[in-house]
Amino acid sequence: MELNSRIPSGPLAEKWDSHRFQSKLVNPANRRKFRVIVVGTGLAGASAAATLAELGYKVDAFCLHDSPRRAHSIAAQGGINAAKNYQNDGDSVFRLFYDTIKGGDFRAREANVYRLAQVSTEIIDQCVAQGVPFAREYGGTLANRSFGGAQVSRTFYARGQTGQQLLLGAYSALSRQINSGGVTMYNRREMMDVVVVDGKARGVVVRNMISGAIESYSADAVLLCTGGYGNAYFLSTNAMASNVTAAWRACRRGAAFANPSFVQIHPTCIPVHGDYQSKLTLMSESLRNDGRVWVPKNKDDTRPPAQIPEEDRDYYLESKYPSFGNLVPRDVASRNAKEQCDQGKGVGSTGLAVYLDFGDAIKRDGEDVILRKYGNLFQMYEKITDSDPMVEPMMIYPAVHYTMGGLWVDYNLMTTIPGLFALGECNFSDHGANRLGASALMQGLADGYFVISTSIGHYFGSERINPVTNADAAFKEVENEVNERMQKLLQNSSGGPSGKVTVDDVHKELGRLLWDNCGMARNRQDLELALEELPKIKDKFWNSVYVPGAADDINQSIEKAGRVADFIEFGEFMIRDALAREESCGCHLREESQTEENEALRDDDKYSHVSVWEYKGDDQPPEMHKEHLVFENVTPSQRSYK
């Protein structure tokens, strides 16, 4: 497998402009001859579909939901980073680049991260022009707030609804193109496989989630904008429908998968309350601007928080990391919360929580100011927990959130399958081993609004693309494989559910296995155990799971079953990748590799690379390739936020 990152030559600050000039173009009259499929219509997909249609390409967009407005992008709360330096506090494109690459523990490409920082400023202008209601200062200028991993204020926000408001902006652009005929929208379709013809991605096979019909669509290029795989753990902050199927099916067709063990654990989530839960709820990282994290100094202290005086409280992030305090990056905050709970100082009925306290901020700024900043987040917390954060501290605990791993892509966002592109969280490219807060929205919109148009034009201008239709043999072959898979999922359904297990039973078992052995901390013994146990879970799924209903009808059970089957197969990639990386970096903590102060200890000599995995067959272990990372503009150093 060839891994050509296609990073442009020249000085870092000139690479993107030089690349755009050197890329092939397609003239406006010829663009209408090309058709592009966009799978997923969250921030990355909606912005990409709207942008390409605006340029004149014909676009077919596919959405799991009844409307793109239901994409999981709406759940992003805290903000979007951009190097505008409105606060005049020392920010710059280079500082955003450096904070991002440092926050990712120097496990990302310099060129990609710098381009992201460059494009960030254009994103804000684009979204303001669309009418996104960013918060503003008294004088009318756009407001900024701080976020983890940075000492400047560069995060633009719309209360705690930033993702939703940005998606509405992208959706308005998409709707305009749907109305003008540039985009054909296919709602309630789930991608089941990608079709490769003559070595190029030429279409997709989808399942109509209303009728159950298997449908094929051909195009000249395919864009996957389908998010991350955090739901492999069962409990995560992701929407219930978020899945790995599109990316995993592409991987089975030849698209390499990069860094699958890099899974971000978010430090501010509402803790688990029992086995009945199907997902977890995120409390925005922006709350750490004003909330102070603490636990009782005495592990036997069970008093209510209001009765614990200051001298008996341990503000452990502030004392351990005085420079950043509560605004340390997510991986650092998460590991420290786990450490406090492991020491027996956790709070709540389970002991798996810490306090996030707004008492001092309310005294300093007043209730009105705090409610203006975080009111909807406070309301959400109170509805779920029946506790008012204005009166008593929130209880939070880390949970699976974002996935830095994803399909391997080059500088043009193209996978190892020519003509197959991956955008947003679906690819691996910009965040390294740990994503800084407020960078997910930035990457999704950068890829969709500004990067993909250059990449698609260069691809179409460089490749000879022969005519293909969905009547061709390659499409029929993939359709047959999909139909066979649907029937296989139903193979245990005859005779009723007696003596069988549900899809959720197996998914929970998989999630526990991954969380316990490949979660916040990993070690060789546990990872090897997980690798031994995974085939047993797979056997239970295929031999004992009962899936009610039929394939050729509306059937949410078979949808869930297909996704869990893919999570099980993909789980092997996650575990093997964690096992192969015998260093700690970012979110990836190997217990065997820590400093004396229990901080993550990197090994740049052995592991300064992207781990790229190639699918070799159902009965064969995947093969790992390496893309070595070269740092010419920054010097990898031990991360310190003290």
Side-chain angles (χ1 to χ4, degrees):
M1 174 178 284
E2 180 188 5
L3 296 176
N4 183 353
S5 61
R6 295 182 174 82
I7 296 172
S9 59
L12 183 66
E14 298 174 12
K15 287 182 186 294
W16 176 229
D17 288 339
S18 174
H19 178 73
R20 284 191 292 177
F21 175 73
Q22 294 172 7
S23 294
K24 298 287 181 66
L25 298 175
V26 180
N27 77 59
N30 285 338
R31 290 177 201 151
R32 63 178 66 100
K33 299 176 182 178
F34 293 99
R35 183 172 296 275
V36 179
I37 284 174
V38 177
V39 183
T41 50
L43 275 179
S47 59
T51 298
L52 295 179
E54 185 75 33
L55 287 171
Y57 298 107
K58 296 178 181 177
V59 177
D60 291 339
F62 295 83
C63 174
L64 273 178
H65 309 286
D66 53 357
S67 167
R69 291 168 60 185
R70 294 188 181 276
H72 184 57
S73 299
I74 67 166
Q77 300 163 342
I80 177 171
N81 288 331
K84 285 287 195 182
N85 195 31
Y86 284 167
Q87 304 297 311
N88 196 29
D89 57 359
D91 200 12
S92 65
V93 168
F94 193 88
R95 188 176 295 278
L96 174 53
F97 154 74
Y98 182 76
D99 286 347
T100 304
I101 208 161
K102 175 189 174 185
D105 228 346
F106 304 97
R107 291 295 176 262
R109 292 186 196 131
E110 282 188 337
N112 286 70
V113 179
Y114 194 86
R115 175 176 65 185
L116 179 66
Q118 282 179 294
V119 168
S120 70
T121 60
E122 300 175 56
I123 295 171
I124 302 304
D125 296 339
Q126 171 88 2
C127 295
V128 169
Q130 291 173 336
V132 172
F134 287 121
R136 294 181 180 268
E137 304 288 2
Y138 177 76
T141 57
L142 298 183
N144 290 130
R145 59 188 175 198
S146 302
F147 246 68
Q151 290 180 301
V152 297
S153 296
R154 64 162 68 100
T155 303
F156 295 78
Y157 63 98
R159 294 187 71 191
Q161 308 169 353
T162 314
Q164 181 175 4
Q165 297 302 329
L166 290 172
L167 184 63
L168 288 172
Y171 177 68
S172 68
L174 176 63
S175 297
R176 177 175 178 273
Q177 291 303 322
I178 294 171
N179 184 65
S180 67
V183 174
T184 303
M185 191 71 222
Y186 296 92
N187 296 325
R188 303 295 289 165
R189 261 66 166 202
E190 180 169 19
M191 178 182 146
M192 307 306 293
D193 218 329
V194 63
V195 181
V196 179
V197 180
D198 297 330
K200 297 183 178 70
R202 296 305 306 271
V204 295
V205 173
V206 304
R207 181 176 180 272
N208 186 316
M209 298 164 71
I210 301 300
S211 68
I214 302 301
E215 304 168 352
S216 293
Y217 298 86
S218 62
D220 301 302
V222 177
L223 277 54
L224 299 186
C225 312
T226 51
Y229 48 89
N231 275 349
Y233 290 84
F234 186 73
L235 286 178
S236 81
T237 66
N238 289 191
M240 291 290 289
S242 298
N243 63 82
V244 77
T245 291
W248 176 241
R249 293 286 124 190
C251 183
R252 288 175 62 97
R253 292 289 175 189
F257 212 101
N259 297 334
S261 68
F262 284 174
V263 178
Q264 183 169 73
I265 312 298
H266 197 291
T268 37
C269 299
I270 297 179
V272 176
H273 285 88
D275 291 337
Y276 57 85
Q277 283 180 263
S278 56
K279 76 175 301 295
L280 297 173
T281 303
L282 172 70
M283 289 286 101
S284 170
E285 182 176 315
S286 63
L287 294 171
R288 290 197 280 146
N289 273 293
D290 290 299
R292 300 179 70 192
V293 180
W294 65 275
V295 293
K297 288 183 178 179
N298 184 347
K299 68 178 183 179
D300 298 319
D301 194 337
T302 59
R303 290 176 291 177
Q307 296 179 18
I308 301 177
E310 283 290 311
E311 60 269 21
D312 291 339
R313 299 181 179 189
D314 181 2
Y315 295 94
Y316 57 90
L317 291 178
E318 297 174 31
S319 58
K320 194 172 180 181
Y321 307 98
S323 292
F324 282 73
N326 294 296
L327 290 175
V328 293
R330 291 173 176 179
D331 61 320
V332 177
S334 294
R335 282 198 298 273
N336 276 272
K338 180 180 185 297
E339 182 180 53
Q340 296 298 319
C341 294
D342 288 347
Q343 292 173 3
K345 295 195 287 183
V347 300
S349 59
T350 64
L352 294 176
V354 299
Y355 289 127
L356 182 61
D357 195 334
F358 294 88
D360 286 349
I362 292 170
K363 291 177 185 176
R364 181 186 67 239
D365 298 331
E367 291 188 1
D368 289 346
V369 171
I370 298 302
L371 284 174
R372 279 201 301 273
K373 287 183 177 180
Y374 312 114
N376 61 307
L377 297 172
F378 280 25
Q379 292 165 9
M380 184 165 62
Y381 182 87
E382 185 173 6
K383 284 183 179 179
I384 293 172
T385 66
D386 195 28
S387 173
D388 184 358
M390 299 296 289
V391 177
E392 56 185 343
M394 288 183 177
M395 286 193 289
I396 57 169
Y397 193 70
V400 171
H401 181 52
Y402 187 92
T403 54
M404 282 72 64
L407 290 173
W408 183 91
V409 293
D410 63 16
Y411 191 73
N412 292 314
L413 306 182
M414 190 160 71
T415 70
T416 50
I417 300 176
L420 181 68
F421 298 81
L423 285 67
E425 190 180 0
C426 188
N427 73 35
F428 88 101
S429 66
D430 292 353
H431 306 300
N434 177 59
R435 177 177 70 81
L436 290 187
S439 289
L441 302 180
M442 177 173 61
Q443 187 212 347
L445 292 180
D447 288 355
Y449 280 138
F450 299 106
V451 178
I452 193 59
S453 55
T454 297
S455 301
I456 280 286
H458 180 70
Y459 176 70
F460 288 152
S462 305
E463 296 285 335
R464 180 177 178 83
I465 302 174
N466 297 318
V468 164
T469 72
N470 60 359
D472 289 1
F475 285 83
K476 298 305 175 186
E477 183 178 339
V478 176
E479 283 181 26
N480 290 336
E481 292 177 13
V482 170
N483 278 312
E484 289 173 6
R485 184 173 176 79
M486 291 294 101
Q487 293 307 313
K488 186 178 179 182
L489 290 169
L490 296 169
Q491 65 185 357
N492 301 316
S493 296
S494 60
S498 179
K500 298 166 186 172
V501 297
T502 67
V503 172
D504 270 358
D505 289 335
V506 177
H507 195 181
K508 287 179 181 179
E509 188 173 348
L510 173 67
R512 282 193 295 269
L513 181 79
L514 291 175
W515 178 252
D516 290 343
N517 303 289
C518 192
M520 243 193 296
R522 300 96 184 258
N523 61 63
R524 172 170 291 279
Q525 181 179 350
D526 288 348
L527 289 166
E528 289 177 343
L529 173 65
L531 213 51
E532 292 176 8
E533 293 297 317
L534 192 62
K536 300 175 186 176
I537 295 175
K538 186 175 182 179
D539 287 344
K540 178 184 285 189
F541 179 88
W542 288 112
N543 295 321
S544 302
V545 160
Y546 172 73
V547 180
D552 57 349
D553 198 355
I554 186 170
N555 187 344
Q556 292 182 320
S557 295
I558 202 170
E559 294 166 16
K560 185 183 294 185
R563 296 165 192 165
V564 172
D566 290 333
F567 280 138
I568 294 170
E569 292 183 3
F570 178 69
E572 181 182 355
F573 273 44
M574 298 173 66
I575 296 166
R576 287 189 181 277
D577 187 50
L579 197 54
R581 189 172 288 273
E582 296 180 339
E583 66 162 354
S584 293
C585 61
C587 69
H588 180 84
L589 181 75
R590 278 295 291 264
E591 293 175 349
E592 303 94 327
S593 182
Q594 301 183 55
T595 67
E596 293 181 358
E597 297 175 320
N598 300 116
E599 301 288 355
L601 180 62
R602 287 199 327 270
D603 186 343
D604 291 335
D605 291 339
K606 292 182 179 178
Y607 299 102
S608 188
H609 62 252
V610 178
S611 301
V612 186
W613 293 86
E614 179 184 5
Y615 174 79
K616 303 296 287 187
D618 286 338
D619 300 319
Q620 299 293 325
E623 181 180 353
M624 189 181 82
H625 307 268
K626 297 178 182 179
E627 179 197 337
H628 292 280
L629 296 167
V630 178
F631 297 97
E632 299 174 340
N633 299 274
V634 298
T635 302
S637 58
Q638 184 65 31
R639 278 198 305 163
S640 175
Y641 294 95
K642 295 184 177 182

